[in-house]
Amino acid sequence: MSRPVCITYDSTCDLTTALLERFKIRTVPLTIQSGERVFPDDGSYTSADLYADYRKDGTLPKTAAVSPEQFKAFFGPILEEGLDIVHIDISADLSCTCQNALVAVAELEAGDRIHVVDSRQLSTGGGLLALQGAKLRDQGMAAGEIAEELRKLAPHSDTSFVLDTLEYMWKGGRCSGVAALGANVLKLKPCLEMQSGKLTVCKKYRGSMEKVYRQYITERLAGKSVVEDWAFITHSGEVSEQTLQELTELVKTLAPFKEVFVTQAGCTVSSHCGPGTLGVLFLRAD
C-alpha cells in the first residue's frame, strides 16, 4: 500500500492562504531582499511595500531561490510524518529553485519518496497544477503517479499576463530600456505568455487598462476548450475590487468554469511585472 501524499510548492504559486488550507498544500518561500532587510516571500513584505519602496528610492528588491538547505529543512519534517511528497516548482528556465529541490532530494537520498515536478509555468499557472495534484491525491493516487500526471498536464496550463508598464521589467534587467521607453511612448500594453517554460511577448494592446483587461480576457478564452474545474484571475496589485468583480463575471460568461479564484501575486512575481499586471490562467482541455 502506498503512503499518503503531501503536495508542496514554492511560494511563486501565488495561492491564497484559504486555498492552501482548503486543498492541503504546503509551501516553501523564496527570499526577498530590500536594502538591508531580508524577508521570506510569505506576505510579510507585500507588493504594496515593494511599490512604495520603489517609488521612494527607485530600487527594486532582489529575489533569491529556495536553497538546497532550506529545502532539506522543509522536506525533512514532512517525511517524518510518514508522507510522500509531490513537490512542484516555478519553471526551471526562470529560477534555479527547481534544480535546488532536486539537489536537496539527492542529498536526503529520498528519490523514492520526493517527486519534483518542473511546472514550466509561473504564478497560478503552476498553482493550477498543485490543485490538480491535490485532486489526484484525494482520489488515492500514489505520489509517483501524481507527479507523472502533472508533468503531462504542465504544457496545458494557459499562463499569461497583460502589463500596464515595462518599467519594472526594465529595472529588473528583463527587457531593454529602449523597449520600455518605446512601449511607454506608444502607450502599448504588452501581453506575456509562458511558452516552453519561458516568458515571451505574444501581443501588444493599446488603450486604457480597463479596456485592455476585457479585450485580453475575451481573446484569451475565445474558442478554447478548457478543463472546467478552476480558473484564476491573478493580479499584482493596484487593480480595483470593482474591476476584479467585473472581470470575474466576464470570465464566467466566456467559459464554463466551476470556480474562478482571484489572487494577488506575491513579491517574487510582482517585483518583475509591476502594478496593474493581470492575467487569466486556466488549463486547456486540448
Side-chain angles (χ1 to χ4, degrees), residues 2-8 19-26 83-86 88 129-147 149-150 230:
S2 61
R3 284 178 288 264
V5 177
C6 181
I7 305 296
T8 65
L19 287 173
L20 293 174
E21 292 176 353
R22 172 180 163 184
F23 289 93
K24 299 180 176 60
I25 296 166
R26 305 190 200 184
L83 301 171
D84 283 354
I85 301 170
V86 176
I88 314 163
L129 300 182
L131 299 192
Q132 289 292 336
K135 182 178 178 179
L136 295 173
R137 174 203 63 206
D138 293 346
Q139 292 173 353
M141 190 174 287
E145 295 172 319
I146 294 172
E149 288 299 315
L150 296 185
W230 311 288

Side-chain angles (χ1 to χ4, degrees), residues 23-66:
F23 289 93
K24 299 180 176 60
I25 296 166
R26 305 190 200 184
T27 58
V28 56
L30 277 73
T31 299
I32 305 291
Q33 181 173 352
S34 179
E36 298 301 316
R37 299 171 298 168
V38 178
F39 305 90
D41 187 21
D42 60 1
S44 53
Y45 181 78
T46 67
S47 297
D49 296 328
L50 183 160
Y51 301 142
D53 286 348
Y54 178 73
R55 288 161 179 160
K56 180 175 65 178
D57 57 25
T59 60
L60 284 176
K62 298 178 180 179
T63 60
V66 184

Side-chain angles (χ1 to χ4, degrees), residues 4 61 66 76 100 109 129-130 132 135 139 183 201 218 224 255 264 270:
V66 184
N100 288 349
E109 298 182 348
L129 300 182
Q132 289 292 336
K135 182 178 178 179
Q139 292 173 353
V201 178
T218 300
K224 297 282 179 67
Q264 184 166 341
S270 297

